[in-house]
Amino acid sequence: EVQMVESGGGLVQPGRSLRLSCAASGFTFDDYAMHWVRQAPGKGLEWVSGISWNSGSTGYADSVKGRFTISRDNARNSLYLQMNSLTTEDTALYYCTKAPNLANWGQGTLVTVSS
Amino acid sequence: AIQMTQSPSSLSASVGDRVTITCRASQDIRNNLGWYHQKPGKAPKLLIYAASNLQSGVPSRFSGSGSGTDFTLTISSLQPEDFATYYCLQDYNYPWTFGQGTKVEI
């Protein structure tokens, strides 16, 4: 069974950093691109970032470009999102999801940016 | 970035109704569009990929059509479990973008 388990969320002050992790199982991790999608409380879905199977290609939403960095460790079947210079606008539930077509999702990890 | 304009933002319908939701892209995205629905407190679920392909396990009352800039999701006969929020997503190029969502209510 395909499974993604996100972790690393929590309460953080504006301007600080946080690193999210996603542990994947049930599929050959290094065969697939991976993505992060977030959802602010009561709001819609926002694609955040994606990374190719070999880390050769990455993409970012305009709202996080230059502040967030996506990475992966295929040996550990893990996906990461390094989030720097956090603002209150980054408060959201962050989902890890698998390409193609984002057919499989984790349950998310909540990031709250507040002083 | 490609803008995805989804309409309507909400609709009221009854069980058995035919429901149509549309998404318009700000530029040609070929058939690189997916449809998802999401129930409160749950992760999104893929319904349609590549504009018109039904995801495995999704009921056949869901269908998708369109290419280029205009896309449609149709639910042929709305069921109680279909009351949810629906999103389109363009995966043609980075940054990928979602529509703003359509809430389907009773």
Side-chain angles (χ1 to χ4, degrees):
Chain A
E1 179 190 4
V2 173
Q3 191 170 15
M4 274 81 71
V5 179
E6 303 91 340
S7 61
L11 175 63
V12 62
Q13 292 180 325
R16 305 298 291 266
S17 299
L18 206 59
R19 188 195 196 206
L20 305 184
S21 299
C22 170
S25 60
F27 63 101
T28 305
F29 184 71
D30 55 11
D31 277 352
Y32 295 94
M34 297 291 294
H35 298 263
W36 289 98
V37 174
R38 70 183 180 183
Q39 187 168 36
K43 302 297 185 182
L45 300 172
E46 180 184 17
W47 177 86
V48 173
S49 183
I51 186 168
S52 62
W53 67 274
N54 64 351
S55 304
S57 174
T58 59
Y60 298 92
D62 292 344
S63 59
V64 307
K65 192 175 294 184
R67 299 187 300 122
F68 290 11
T69 302
I70 192 171
S71 62
R72 64 190 295 161
D73 184 339
N74 287 345
R76 296 179 181 270
N77 289 352
S78 292
L79 176 71
Y80 305 102
L81 187 67
Q82 177 66 42
M83 305 186 296
N84 298 334
S85 303
L86 285 161
T87 75
T88 56
E89 299 296 306
D90 297 316
T91 293
L93 185 64
Y94 285 74
Y95 292 103
C96 167
T97 177
K98 169 187 165 291
N101 308 316
L102 309 190
N104 305 94
W105 298 65
Q107 286 306 300
T109 186
L110 182 63
V111 173
T112 303
V113 184
S114 175
S115 55
Chain B
I2 297 172
Q3 306 300 316
M4 301 302 297
T5 303
Q6 191 173 334
S7 61
S9 56
S10 65
L11 65 90
S12 295
S14 301
V15 172
D17 284 353
R18 182 181 182 89
V19 169
T20 299
I21 298 168
T22 64
C23 247
R24 174 165 287 176
S26 60
Q27 67 182 72
D28 187 347
I29 59 169
R30 305 197 179 183
N31 70 335
N32 294 95
L33 185 108
W35 290 99
Y36 303 78
H37 76 182
Q38 185 182 33
K39 298 180 183 180
K42 300 292 188 182
K45 177 183 176 182
L46 174 67
L47 303 172
I48 301 287
Y49 64 93
S52 60
N53 293 273
L54 190 68
Q55 171 67 2
S56 175
V58 173
S60 59
R61 62 181 179 273
F62 291 94
S63 64
S65 64
S67 67
T69 60
D70 292 310
F71 302 86
T72 300
L73 173 71
T74 300
I75 310 171
S76 60
S77 178
L78 198 67
Q79 297 301 300
E81 60 268 31
D82 301 335
F83 290 94
T85 301
Y86 290 77
Y87 297 92
C88 61
L89 168 69
Q90 71 81 14
D91 58 3
Y92 178 68
N93 64 11
Y94 284 156
W96 291 6
T97 42
F98 283 95
Q100 71 269 37
T102 296
K103 188 172 185 179
V104 176
E105 303 174 293
I106 299 173

